[in-house]
Amino acid sequence: MNPRNRLNFSGGPGALPQSVLEQVRESIDAVPGVGLSVLGISHRSDWFAAVVAELEDNVRRLLGVPAGYHILFLQGGATQQFTMVPLTLMQGSQVPADYLHTGYWSGKAIAEARREGPLRVLWSGEGEGFGRLPSDGELDFAADAPYLHYVSNETVEGLQFHRLLGRDDVPRVCDMSSDFLSQPCPVDQFALIYAHAQKNIGPAGVTVVLVRDEVIGKAPEDLPGFLDYRSHAQAHSNFNTPPVFAIYVVLLVTRWLLGEIGGVAAMAAINQRKAGLLYCALDGSDGFYRGRSAPADRSLMNVAFSLPDVHLEQAFLAESQAAGFTGLAGHRSIGGIRASIYNALTVAEVEELAGFMADFQRRHRR
Ligand SMILES: *Cc1c(COP(=O)(O)O)cnc(C)c1O
């Protein structure tokens, strides 16, 4: 393996498809048909308006987004959505918003929302070390909550909901930052979906928001302009200077999904094969590799596991790094190992990692 072309198994920013990176390289010199570097094209140009329009259209096609939704490209990351969501939907409600505490990132969302108004933690996995997700029987959703918030894929712990949560009469809000466009998604069941680009669909700097028109229509009138979805909707995601480069790369990724992969159902099939390879490696290791999450809640994006002791984990990280695999250290909050296998990593590349794992185990088994 060429050491200058390491495989990126990082939790984020994640790998991007080779064909996209080639087009990005070209566009830094000059965007075809424009003759300017993408880094210096005006956000007021016709070209950029067409980029935003095509990207919106591609997301609509990929996910089958029905009429009645705005698609926005915002800054501030998922973290800014942790605040914009309660600012928009709590509206002085005396009834608390329902939040699920299933891992590191939902915990961050809860901390920010608490600053804006009352919330209820409907279920928390903290006491059990976030090793699993709740079953339906453990969830008693309030009928009068202003909204329900959850994280579809807990990136740090490697936990993913494989079902829809909540009640049809309470607006569902979901942070899909680490599994957006990795599989089909019933958009019409959500009032608001947000996902930053840097895990699965592009570089850092842009966050995709799918929001029902009525949510925007009912937003409080006195929000700061930058934190009001209305401003961004009216300005077609051009309220102030947007991250033109990041948005362009996300457009290239959606073209890749549509043209080379064949859509999100095909992407999901590939992602299932990749995750299957690694979970098989864990399950077939006689306890050498220990999966972190309950089997029913295993993430298809982030495979988190540990080894029998910390010295073996350090050896695993050092040897994998030397063999050309990067980003395998677990999140700093929990340690261990985490292999993030976002859309752009191929089946063959994940097979290489599974091969390395088998070899490492042979050499280090006691
Ligand atoms: C990485 C991550 C975040 C943090 O997003 P920022 O863009 O850094 O604010 C939030 N939610 C989830 C699920 C994540 O994986």
Side-chain angles (χ1 to χ4, degrees):
M1 189 182 303
N2 179 346
R4 285 173 304 164
N5 284 315
R6 295 172 181 281
L7 294 180
N8 184 2
F9 286 89
S10 164
L16 288 172
Q18 278 309 319
S19 64
V20 166
L21 291 177
E22 278 155 30
Q23 294 171 71
V24 169
R25 266 194 291 276
E26 183 186 8
S27 73
I28 286 180
D29 266 348
V31 172
V34 180
L36 288 172
S37 167
V38 65
L39 301 178
I41 300 182
S42 168
H43 59 295
R44 300 290 174 203
S45 61
D46 292 345
W47 174 79
F48 184 65
V51 165
V52 171
E54 184 189 340
L55 174 52
E56 254 191 67
D57 193 51
N58 286 358
V59 173
R60 280 191 197 280
R61 281 169 63 196
L62 282 164
L63 294 179
V65 180
Y69 282 78
H70 274 91
I71 302 182
L72 306 175
F73 307 105
L74 307 186
Q75 300 188 64
T79 300
Q80 180 163 291
Q81 296 308 306
F82 295 166
T83 298
M84 281 177 80
V85 163
L87 278 180
T88 306
L89 284 161
M90 277 183 178
Q91 306 219 12
S93 165
Q94 298 305 303
V95 182
D98 266 348
Y99 273 71
L100 288 184
H101 189 196
T102 48
Y104 181 86
W105 286 115
S106 53
K108 294 279 185 196
I110 287 168
E112 290 301 326
R114 271 197 210 289
R115 297 165 176 266
E116 307 305 333
L119 70 77
R120 174 176 80 126
V121 176
L122 180 60
W123 185 88
S124 175
E126 193 170 23
E128 299 175 39
F130 299 122
R132 68 175 183 98
L133 295 173
S135 65
D136 284 337
E138 292 172 285
L139 297 174
D140 187 13
F141 300 105
D144 53 352
Y147 64 96
L148 164 73
H149 180 280
Y150 66 100
V151 174
S152 55
N153 181 68
E154 286 282 7
T155 322
V156 170
E157 292 81 4
L159 294 165
Q160 187 174 28
F161 281 108
H162 300 294
R163 65 187 195 278
L164 185 70
L165 299 183
R167 310 168 49 105
D168 290 342
D169 53 357
V170 172
R172 293 184 182 91
V173 177
C174 193
D175 176 357
M176 297 192 187
S177 289
S178 53
D179 62 2
F180 191 65
L181 296 183
S182 71
Q183 59 185 7
C185 161
V187 173
D188 61 335
Q189 301 298 308
F190 293 88
L192 193 152
I193 292 169
Y194 60 94
H196 62 197
Q198 69 264 29
K199 305 277 158 69
N200 225 0
I201 58 165
V206 61
T207 299
V208 183
V209 175
L210 276 52
V211 54
R212 237 180 235 154
D213 297 348
E214 71 193 41
V215 170
I216 294 192
K218 285 197 238 150
E221 297 290 340
D222 58 351
L223 298 176
F226 199 78
L227 301 180
D228 188 342
Y229 293 112
R230 219 172 344 226
S231 325
H232 299 283
Q234 278 162 5
H236 297 284
S237 300
N238 215 329
F239 178 62
N240 69 326
T241 316
V244 169
F245 175 70
I247 291 172
Y248 181 61
V249 179
V250 176
L251 170 65
L252 296 177
V253 170
T254 60
R255 283 184 187 162
W256 170 81
L257 279 168
L258 284 163
E260 285 183 53
I261 298 296
V264 283
M267 190 73 252
I270 294 169
N271 286 332
Q272 271 156 12
R273 278 182 65 197
K274 285 151 50 184
L277 285 166
L278 295 188
Y279 287 118
C280 266
L282 304 189
D283 292 342
S285 75
D286 271 335
F288 185 77
Y289 296 115
R290 298 145 193 211
R292 211 186 168 281
S293 31
D297 306 320
R298 285 172 163 179
S299 166
L300 300 178
M301 297 280 102
N302 312 96
V303 179
F305 56 96
S306 59
L307 275 75
D309 64 57
V310 113
H311 301 290
L312 275 173
E313 283 179 357
Q314 280 162 359
F316 182 92
L317 290 174
E319 290 184 30
S320 61
Q321 178 77 20
F325 306 96
T326 70
L328 285 166
H331 189 265
R332 59 198 148 76
S333 63
I334 56 172
I337 314 289
R338 173 181 53 170
S340 297
I341 46 176
Y342 298 123
N343 284 355
L345 277 162
T346 64
V347 172
E349 289 166 340
V350 176
E351 271 168 354
E352 279 188 52
L353 178 62
F356 169 84
M357 288 170 67
D359 182 55
F360 182 89
Q361 183 179 355
R362 260 190 304 277
R363 286 183 288 109
H364 290 273
R365 195 173 11 218
R366 280 162 301 181

